[in-house]
Amino acid sequence: MITALPSRSPEAPWTLLPGPVLVLAADGTVRHASAALQAWLGPLAPQEDWAQDLQEPHRRLLRERLRATAPFEQDLSRATPRGGPRQTARLRLSARWLPEHGAWLCILSDLASHLDRCVEAREESGFLRAFGDAVPVMIAFYDRDQLLRYANRRYVRQYRLDPQRMIGRHISEVIGTANTLNAPFQDRVLLTSGEPETPVSFTRYLERSDGSRQWVNITLAAIRNEQHHPIGSGSLTRDITQQHEAEGALRESEERLQKFLNANAEGLVFHERGTITDVNPSACTLLGADRRELLGTSLLDRVHPVDRFGTAAVLLGTEDSTTEASLINPRGESRPVEFIGRSVWRQSQRLRAVVIRDIRDRRQAQARIHTLIEDLRSQKDRAEAADRAKSVFLAAASHDLRQPIHALGLFLTALRAMAQSTCVPSTELAQICRRMQSSLDGLGQLLNMLLDVSRLDANAVQVELAALPLAQLFAELDQEFADLAHEKGLRLHVASSSAWVRTDATVLRRILSNLMANAIRYSPRGRILLGARSRGDRLEIQVWDQGIGIAPEQLEAIFEEFYQIDAAHSRRSQSHGLGLGLSIVKRSARLIDAPLRVCSTPGRGSLFCISVPRAPAHTNTPSLTPTHSPTHAHTHTHPHAHAHAPSPTEPAQRSERSTAAPAPGARRVLVIDDEEQVLMGMQQLLQVWGHQVWCASSADEAVVLAIAHAHEIDLLLSDYRLGGNMTAVQAIAAVHACLPAPVPTYILTGDTSPQRIQEASELGFPLLHKPVEPDALLAALEA
């Protein structure tokens, strides 16, 4: 037996109907037959002509009616079952056309059985009551005067009626008055006795014995006789307490959900295949339109064309998915958002929704992170490049340091040999001393260059701005570099200038000295020019050369530490640099707020320019002869802080008194240093100059000597880094505590790192860097 025949849709609603159900096409062929029908009338094959077994004229009449679309009922006679004893069944067929399925839905009933039951119902007087008591609802009948004539057992129990006295009671006594109902009771009752046949339903509640409420739904319908005259009203009462409570909970849930949606900062759009059906306020803000403008429109129309395909996949997908896109508002402004597809339940319906999340902050954070990563990567690359450059520098610096040290070793060997000779001319001793001094000067220049960089890194240089005449500065630079240029066969031309500028004289002189030294160093021939040009309220000082020039890709690199344009050429040159000069120039220019500019053509020469603000002319011209290194002079504000140290570009000219006994006024000096050789060297030099010296290799020894000679010591020299964790700060404090009065104090250090320089400069004592120049030491002794 076939339980179900093929239908157009596996979800056709007639598959759920009980009883004998038949679905026919317009031509009468079978589309579906329920199991109950096939068990009754026999098996049916798909596409079979069901009307073929009907008797005439029933067959012809059925086929005519099937060609129309109006619902109908028809009594039929049909042979059944086929293949067995033939019998004639009397059937009633109720048919309704289903346009969405293109088929007739037919319900069949046994007409003979129906008539038999009616006869039996009329014959049995108690059938109606038994039936009424059996149904699971409360039913009653009121006559035209609204008096109760019948009530089943459930109705009696519900309204607590007396079965013996309930007949004849008025409907208002049973159901209630107008004030106990949710609408005017009389109006609703009158509707049941009038002409309209539409039932009237209303809801009320009953107080239970425990104080709770029982909600019921009352339906009143007019009942008419065969002549269609009203004979009374039927009342159907259903207990809907659970339904009422569920609906109340559902309303509260909907209200909470609506409040949540309205307060949610993220946009929420309900849609049907991209067409907007509802939105929350945040979505209106993101989409740039109010709710009325958005309903019924396509969400994709507000998405950037490039992002529509990915957004459509999220809108139409059945699974939760996410994509990023850009919304375009009516003003044409773009806003990055994230679309999150969701399936949600709302009012017992499954809906597709999309969450719209503004991701501008995320994009900005991602951009900042990307920028930070790129910056860190750039810094890492620069650090690695600096590390490689320092490795190259260490190799070059090792060579530069070994050369003077090697020369000093040779000179010392010569001095030992001379010491064994009975007669050594004084001129030869003087020449060896001068050459040894030249080697020491070379070492000092190397160390001073490193010290300059460290001081600039440590921000230990203080700028003192003042009016400065360029004429005197240019004259001094001309005098300083004229001989050096002449020795290389170059022509040095310094243009005259009457202009004044406002800057730090010492820092500007050091910048121009480095630029002039570089111009001479890298110019094998031609001319060097120093001049100035007016640029509005500023003056541009220019240094021209006709040297080897600089390639375009090197214009930025030349200002990095340890970078040399032509390292091989520099090593061959007697005046080769260390790759620090232009790094010092750039940092010094930044220190005095003087923009630096460079232009160059390989093989033809270079132009270095520095821009400084103009200043009005002054009648008193200050002296520009440097008495201190620009980076040494401003380490602190102590009155004895300015110890002279020659510029790397200055000729190595020493004061004659450096090798002779000092003028009258010998000092009594306490020296603290944990290096025995340095301590002995300092003692011998000071004693040769005629000073009284006490030497201590530790802070403890210094304290003992300070107590023993408290009234004699008038000068203190201390190394910054002593043995262990002891520093000059602790040693000086201990010594000063033992002296009756403060004495001038100087700190000596060989540490050139920016951190150590910064720490030492904050102590408040003058700082002398090792190797200490004799002139700087003499200045400290004479202060």
Side-chain angles (χ1 to χ4, degrees):
M1 179 180 292
I2 301 175
T3 59
L5 297 180
S7 61
R8 289 189 181 181
S9 171
E11 297 179 358
W14 54 69
T15 60
L16 304 178
L17 297 177
V21 177
L22 178 66
V23 178
L24 299 177
D27 58 359
T29 57
V30 177
R31 289 272 301 278
H32 170 79
S34 66
L37 179 66
Q38 295 187 73
W40 177 25
L41 299 180
L44 296 173
Q47 306 301 322
E48 178 182 343
D49 184 1
W50 189 77
Q52 66 182 349
D53 290 335
L54 297 179
Q55 296 180 356
E56 289 290 351
H58 297 160
R59 181 189 310 114
R60 183 178 65 256
L61 179 61
L62 176 62
R63 286 176 175 172
E64 290 175 356
R65 288 181 170 180
L66 290 178
R67 285 193 290 269
T69 59
F72 65 93
E73 287 188 355
Q74 181 179 349
D75 294 341
L76 306 171
S77 296
R78 189 179 191 276
T80 182
R82 289 182 294 172
R86 294 186 61 83
Q87 299 179 2
T88 300
R90 297 182 63 190
L91 309 174
R92 172 165 290 178
L93 183 145
S94 299
R96 175 186 175 190
W97 176 251
L98 303 177
E100 65 272 21
H101 297 283
W104 287 93
L105 175 62
C106 305
I107 306 298
L108 283 85
S109 59
D110 189 348
L111 187 58
S113 300
H114 175 71
L115 294 175
D116 293 340
R117 286 195 298 272
C118 291
V119 172
E120 292 174 1
R122 286 195 298 268
E123 294 177 349
E124 296 180 4
S125 60
F127 171 77
L128 180 61
R129 180 170 300 279
F131 174 80
D133 292 341
V135 295
V137 291
M138 295 166 280
I139 56 177
F141 172 71
Y142 293 88
D143 62 16
R144 296 192 61 178
D145 296 327
Q146 300 179 357
L147 300 178
L148 180 62
R149 295 304 176 189
Y150 168 77
N152 69 349
R153 187 176 300 140
R154 291 176 182 270
Y155 197 91
V156 171
R157 286 201 302 265
Q158 174 68 43
Y159 292 102
R160 303 184 181 91
L161 298 176
D162 185 350
Q164 304 299 326
R165 300 182 180 181
M166 65 178 186
I167 303 299
R169 298 185 64 175
H170 195 270
I171 189 172
S172 61
E173 299 178 26
V174 178
I175 296 179
T177 59
N179 356 348
T180 64
L181 302 173
N182 64 345
F185 171 72
Q186 296 296 335
D187 293 344
R188 294 183 179 275
V189 173
L190 288 176
L191 287 175
T192 65
S193 60
E195 190 65 26
E197 297 184 2
T198 304
V200 177
S201 296
F202 53 93
T203 301
R204 63 160 293 183
Y205 66 86
L206 304 175
E207 295 286 348
R208 291 171 174 164
S209 58
D210 59 357
S212 62
R213 291 180 177 180
Q214 178 187 13
W215 289 88
V216 294
N217 178 262
I218 301 174
T219 300
L220 297 176
I223 298 178
R224 302 175 184 274
N225 59 16
E226 295 178 354
Q227 290 74 32
H228 204 66
H229 296 150
I231 60 174
S233 302
S235 173
L236 175 67
T237 304
R238 293 182 298 113
D239 187 344
I240 59 168
T241 303
Q242 293 182 349
Q243 177 184 342
H244 181 81
E245 292 175 351
E247 289 176 352
L250 180 60
R251 284 193 299 271
E252 292 179 1
S253 176
E254 283 288 321
E255 290 174 359
R256 288 195 299 270
L257 176 60
Q258 194 62 44
K259 291 179 181 179
F260 169 76
L261 295 179
N262 292 340
N264 197 345
E266 295 180 341
L268 183 62
V269 177
F270 294 93
H271 66 92
E272 292 182 3
R273 299 185 63 81
T275 301
I276 299 174
T277 59
D278 200 3
V279 291
N280 71 341
S282 296
C284 295
T285 302
L286 290 171
L287 296 173
D290 59 29
R291 185 173 181 274
R292 288 176 297 178
E293 295 174 341
L294 293 173
L295 295 181
T297 63
S298 174
L299 180 59
L300 290 177
D301 290 343
R302 301 178 182 273
V303 178
H304 194 281
V306 176
D307 302 323
R308 287 178 182 173
F309 182 79
T311 306
V314 172
L315 297 179
L316 301 179
T318 57
E319 301 294 333
D320 292 350
S321 56
T322 302
T323 188
E324 292 185 3
S326 295
L327 287 177
I328 305 297
N329 63 20
R331 297 184 297 276
E333 299 171 342
S334 176
R335 173 180 295 187
V337 296
E338 181 181 36
F339 285 103
I340 306 172
R342 292 286 186 267
S343 293
V344 297
W345 288 93
R346 191 178 188 188
Q347 296 179 351
S348 302
Q349 292 183 351
R350 184 180 180 88
L351 303 176
R352 283 295 293 174
V354 61
V355 177
I356 306 178
R357 182 175 297 162
D358 192 337
I359 59 172
R360 285 179 298 181
D361 292 342
R362 183 200 302 176
R363 289 278 181 90
Q364 293 172 0
Q366 290 173 345
R368 288 193 296 269
I369 292 173
H370 179 74
T371 301
L372 179 60
I373 292 174
E374 291 299 322
D375 185 47
L376 291 175
R377 184 178 290 112
S378 176
Q379 292 182 13
K380 175 177 175 289
D381 293 341
R382 287 198 297 271
E384 291 177 349
D387 185 62
R388 290 191 295 270
K390 287 183 179 181
S391 298
V392 175
F393 163 75
L394 289 175
S398 174
H399 173 270
D400 295 338
L401 290 171
R402 287 176 182 274
Q403 290 293 84
I405 293 174
H406 177 62
L408 284 174
L410 296 177
F411 294 142
L412 287 173
T413 302
L415 283 178
R416 291 193 194 97
M418 290 180 181
Q420 296 173 0
S421 176
T422 56
C423 179
V424 179
S426 59
T427 56
E428 292 186 16
L429 287 174
Q431 184 179 11
I432 289 178
C433 288
R434 284 195 298 272
R435 291 177 176 172
M436 292 180 69
Q437 185 63 57
S438 177
S439 297
L440 286 173
D441 287 344
L443 284 173
Q445 291 177 19
L446 286 171
L447 296 176
N448 283 338
M449 290 286 282
L450 294 174
L451 180 60
D452 287 345
V453 174
S454 296
R455 285 183 178 276
L456 289 168
D457 285 343
N459 295 321
V461 179
Q462 297 178 1
V463 174
E464 297 177 0
L465 301 178
L468 170 68
L470 287 185
Q472 186 172 348
L473 174 60
F474 282 8
E476 292 183 2
L477 291 172
D478 188 9
Q479 182 181 3
E480 179 181 347
F481 290 99
D483 292 340
L484 184 60
H486 181 71
E487 289 177 4
K488 288 198 65 176
L490 302 173
R491 300 188 307 278
L492 175 62
H493 177 69
V494 179
S496 60
S497 176
S498 60
W500 285 63
V501 294
R502 180 171 178 77
T503 187
D504 185 294
T506 308
V507 176
L508 179 60
R509 190 183 193 282
R510 172 55 63 89
I511 292 172
L512 295 178
S513 294
N514 275 289
L515 293 178
M516 292 288 289
N518 271 1
I520 293 173
R521 178 179 297 118
Y522 292 103
S523 296
R525 66 186 68 82
R527 187 176 70 153
I528 307 296
L529 173 63
L530 172 64
R533 290 181 180 272
S534 178
R535 296 287 188 264
D537 59 347
R538 300 182 75 87
L539 205 69
E540 190 175 74
I541 304 175
Q542 301 177 341
V543 178
W544 294 79
D545 68 65
Q546 294 179 316
I548 62 175
I550 308 167
E553 63 272 12
Q554 293 179 306
L555 290 178
E556 291 293 333
I558 59 175
F559 293 102
E560 298 177 2
E561 297 175 5
F562 319 116
Y563 187 85
Q564 293 178 332
I565 298 175
D566 187 350
H569 170 81
S570 299
R571 286 193 293 269
R572 292 192 300 268
S573 174
Q574 293 182 353
S575 59
H576 68 275
L578 298 175
L580 292 173
L582 289 179
S583 176
I584 294 174
V585 166
K586 182 177 181 179
R587 298 171 192 226
S588 300
R590 190 184 303 119
L591 192 65
I592 60 174
D593 192 23
L596 189 64
R597 182 170 65 91
V598 58
C599 300
S600 184
T601 302
R604 299 185 60 181
S606 304
L607 166 64
F608 285 85
C609 306
I610 184 167
S611 176
V612 291
R614 300 175 68 96
H618 289 62
T619 55
N620 297 327
T621 302
S623 173
L624 297 179
T625 302
T627 58
H628 53 273
S629 167
T631 55
H632 295 196
H634 308 297
T635 304
H636 39 69
T637 57
H638 194 280
H640 304 298
H642 304 328
H644 172 69
S647 167
T649 58
E650 294 179 21
Q653 297 176 351
R654 293 292 160 196
S655 172
E656 293 297 330
R657 65 175 183 162
S658 298
T659 57
R667 304 297 292 267
R668 290 166 292 185
V669 187
L670 174 59
V671 180
I672 310 173
D673 200 309
D674 61 339
E675 290 289 340
E676 183 178 358
Q677 295 296 330
V678 175
L679 196 61
M680 293 302 100
M682 183 69 76
Q683 182 182 29
Q684 290 178 4
L685 178 59
L686 295 179
Q687 288 177 347
V688 168
W689 283 350
H691 302 288
Q692 186 177 357
V693 183
W694 294 279
C695 295
S697 60
S698 66
D700 293 338
E701 292 182 15
V703 169
V704 172
L705 292 172
I707 294 173
H709 305 280
H711 295 281
E712 301 176 66
I713 298 172
D714 57 12
L715 182 67
L716 176 60
L717 302 177
S718 176
D719 185 30
Y720 178 73
R721 184 71 67 184
L722 301 176
N725 295 324
M726 183 68 65
T727 64
V729 181
Q730 299 162 308
I732 291 172
V735 170
H736 280 194
C738 301
L739 301 179
V743 299
T745 302
Y746 290 83
I747 296 177
L748 288 75
T749 181
D751 193 338
T752 60
S753 66
Q755 293 83 0
R756 299 290 84 76
I757 293 175
Q758 183 66 32
E759 292 173 4
S761 64
E762 294 173 355
L763 298 178
F765 299 108
L767 192 65
L768 300 176
H769 279 275
K770 298 178 182 179
V772 180
E773 302 293 343
D775 288 344
L777 189 56
L778 284 172
L781 292 168
E782 294 175 1

